[in-house]
Amino acid sequence: MTLLATCQVTLARPVLQSFTYTVPDKLAQSVLPGIRVRVPFGQRREIGLVESVDLTTESSSHSAGKTRLREVLEVLDEQPLLDDALLQLCRWTADYYVAPIGLVHRAALPPGSLSSRSRAGINPKKHQVIRLTAELPTLLERDRAFGTARRQREAFEVIEGLGGSAALSHLDTGLGFGRSIIHGLRDRGLAEIVEETVERDPFEIDDPVEAPPTSLTQDQQNVLGGLIEQLTTATSNPGVALLRGVTGSGKTVIYLRLIQAAIDAGRTALVLVPEIGLTPQTVARFRAVFGDGIAVLHSGLSTGERHDAWRALRDGRKRVAIGTRSAVFAPLPDLGVIEIDEEHDGSYKQSETPRYHARALAAIRARTEGALLVLGSATPSLESWHNALEGRYRLYELENRATTHQLPEVRLVDRRNRKAESSASVLSDDLRDAIDARLRENRQTLLLLNRRGYATVQQCTACGWVAICPACNVSLTWHRRRARLVCHHCGWAEGVPGCCPECADEELSFGGVGTEQVERILSETYPAATIARMDVDTTGGKWAHGRILRRVRDREVDILLGTQMIAKGLDLPGVTLVGVIDADVGLNLPDFRAAERTFQLLAQVAGRAGRGAEAGKVLIQTLRPEHPALRHTLTHDYVSFATAEIADRVAPGYPPHRRIANLVISGRDETSVADAAEGLADWLESTIETGGLSVSVVGPAPCPIDRLRGRWRWHMLLKAESASDLGPLLRFAASHSPVGGSCRLEIDRDPESLL
Ligand code: ADP
Ligand code: ZN
Ligand code: ZN
């Protein structure tokens, strides 16, 4: 009997299991868990990650399978990329979310680590940028410069709106301005085309960063004292802290001081933020304090820079990491504290496989590594709030702003009984007057509309035809500047029909006002005002966002209009008015989180008002002023909203009362998908009965978006009293369910959205 060394290797493939390889003697010392290896797979060679190494007896391994095991070919790292704690975290993620372990490993490692092809990316890529070289301050000059070249003028104004420069690729594919238009601008001597490094690191731009306050308020001191005590006295398992602090209550300085305490104790710290591009100010404040000691993990880094940051963290040269969702896997040894800012934010849940929630992983990681997890928000997720009320999390609250500035006064503008779609009524008289007043006083206004494009529904008034995406069952949005109808789910774009394709009638109506239309209305209503728009269409370049913000902060902009991106964590002291064009956009979605999301968004955007010396005001236009998500926004009353909303979720059995999973079956053939969904539901019912599990199946039914990217979609919801009943059922379903053939089953555990 001889001993045989084997190892479990995971490959970045959509399969649940790992693969067994033998370890040749010459590699026996270097094949370790967490290290990358090159292995044969079919006819090819692939890069995989060693999950575990085992010693077996030669005979048992032979009887285990008929096929002979193949050998590891090469070891690629000197040290493990993932230590035991992180390997455990990945394993937990794969099990809990029923996700392919290799894809979890890929998500946990710097991008490209498991790809057998790409070794590049060390050098930053260049791209072509157009930069305006002329200003045309008067309308007359513009008319003269462009004459009949309307598209060139539009392009000029778009680039202006982006801060004076834009990537050609963004103008082209994103906004529909082809090269001939761009070259036209250059040939008129209005712009130049230059090479620029892709994705300028937003943090190289030396933004003036406000120094952290030197002294804390009494409330802040109490919270910090409690957190430090929690961090230092219970070293084996400090648990979870929920910090609910109204917008402007000064949570950041608490995060900073807590990290300092962890570092002083010889430990490390991890900070998660929703989206780095959207939170440059938050990141800058951490950078200002920790300087080179902090690694910023963001998608703008090249692969090489990512690896460098990784090694610096792993080797202890940097002791603090800040990043988005995937930074939850940052290799920090001796982790002392994890902080999740805006913990309620939906971006912490990954919307594709592996569909993990960074907050859940952070909780697991904190527990296994003995770290303190701090969740911070003005409007905590109802799950976290519920956990705090039930005593599982320790609750800390900051009810007041840290400065003398009061929370803004909020008013609802009841829009019922008005012709909703005429452009005149997009801005109510109240809102228009308020903007007027700000313009007169040289103050700034922030306007939120969470719907981009010009109009979201094009319909024939004669026969009722609606423009629908050929691949998705959703209406196409008219992007006027691009002169295209666009699908916001798959990106499909087509020309705007001159008449109805069904009945040839020329009377098409345009419903659902989007940001592009509001921008136009604003510029017609306030011709003298400088207006900037911020949404996915104007911020195509990752850091264009920062550029627009800088113009707002420098008071070059009077009115900033945008989608939810303008709501996040911005500190713009010149803003004294926040207007919400249509608060009902998100409220009417067929999703159980619609009210929660709306309340969070409104509270967040309201929090942008009055952060400077002057009091702020918030006007919210709605057709549903009596809805709790709106009523409680009036008084900034999170607790009452949460209490009402949690009570409302008892009867339908939604989180936080039940643990749920959304099972989506999709395929190209409508009938097969419906049949597969029915079959799966029956199979689940009988499995639940046999196993004596307390799980219920709701559905099957077509998904709210029943066709997406060419695939028909049905779903069912599993609801369970406890996570421990749901997990085994989901794992069993993933490997044994009858869904097969042309249909695909996707499992989304703890879904953020059911669309
Ligand atoms: P939050 O993240 O809770 O919304 P911030 O941390 O951004 O709030 O703080 C809001 C503002 O209050 C910032 O301008 C910050 O500098 C200021 N601030 C915070 N704490 C204090 C303090 N103790 N004294 C004076 N100003 C403070
Ligand atoms: Zn028609
Ligand atoms: Zn589509």
Side-chain angles (χ1 to χ4, degrees), residues 6-9 18-22 69-70:
T6 62
C7 60
Q8 294 298 315
V9 174
S18 52
F19 300 88
T20 310
Y21 289 88
T22 57
L69 294 176
R70 301 172 81 179

Side-chain angles (χ1 to χ4, degrees), residues 727-739:
L729 178 63
L730 292 174
R731 285 188 285 279
F732 191 60
S735 43
H736 293 83
S737 94
V739 179

Side-chain angles (χ1 to χ4, degrees), residues 51-73:
E51 203 191 9
S52 61
V53 182
D54 315 279
L55 278 180
T56 55
T57 58
E58 185 108 50
S59 56
S60 74
S61 88
H62 268 235
S63 56
K66 275 178 233 107
T67 48
R68 266 184 60 107
L69 294 176
R70 301 172 81 179
E71 270 190 355
V72 170
L73 301 172

Side-chain angles (χ1 to χ4, degrees), residues 111 117-125 300-307:
R117 280 178 309 264
S118 83
R119 286 249 147 201
I122 310 283
N123 297 319
K125 274 188 300 191
L301 297 181
S302 69
T303 307
E305 288 168 327
R306 261 247 174 185
H307 278 276

Side-chain angles (χ1 to χ4, degrees), residues 55-129:
L55 278 180
T56 55
T57 58
E58 185 108 50
S59 56
S60 74
S61 88
H62 268 235
S63 56
K66 275 178 233 107
T67 48
R68 266 184 60 107
L69 294 176
R70 301 172 81 179
E71 270 190 355
V72 170
L73 301 172
E74 190 189 349
V75 170
L76 300 176
D77 302 304
E78 284 173 10
Q79 288 178 50
L81 293 182
L82 299 175
D83 63 12
D84 284 345
L86 285 172
L87 284 170
Q88 257 186 61
L89 182 67
C90 291
R91 177 41 71 187
W92 183 88
T93 306
D95 288 347
Y96 184 85
Y97 293 100
V98 201
I101 179 70
L103 297 186
V104 175
H105 285 151
R106 184 172 66 182
L109 294 171
S113 302
L114 293 183
S115 146
S116 40
R117 280 178 309 264
S118 83
R119 286 249 147 201
I122 310 283
N123 297 319
K125 274 188 300 191
K126 300 270 186 189
H127 66 170
Q128 289 197 303
V129 171

Side-chain angles (χ1 to χ4, degrees), residues 210-228:
E210 174 194 21
T214 46
S215 64
L216 302 191
T217 64
Q218 190 59 49
D219 286 354
Q220 285 173 319
Q221 270 175 38
N222 294 344
V223 170
L224 181 64
L227 289 169
I228 289 181

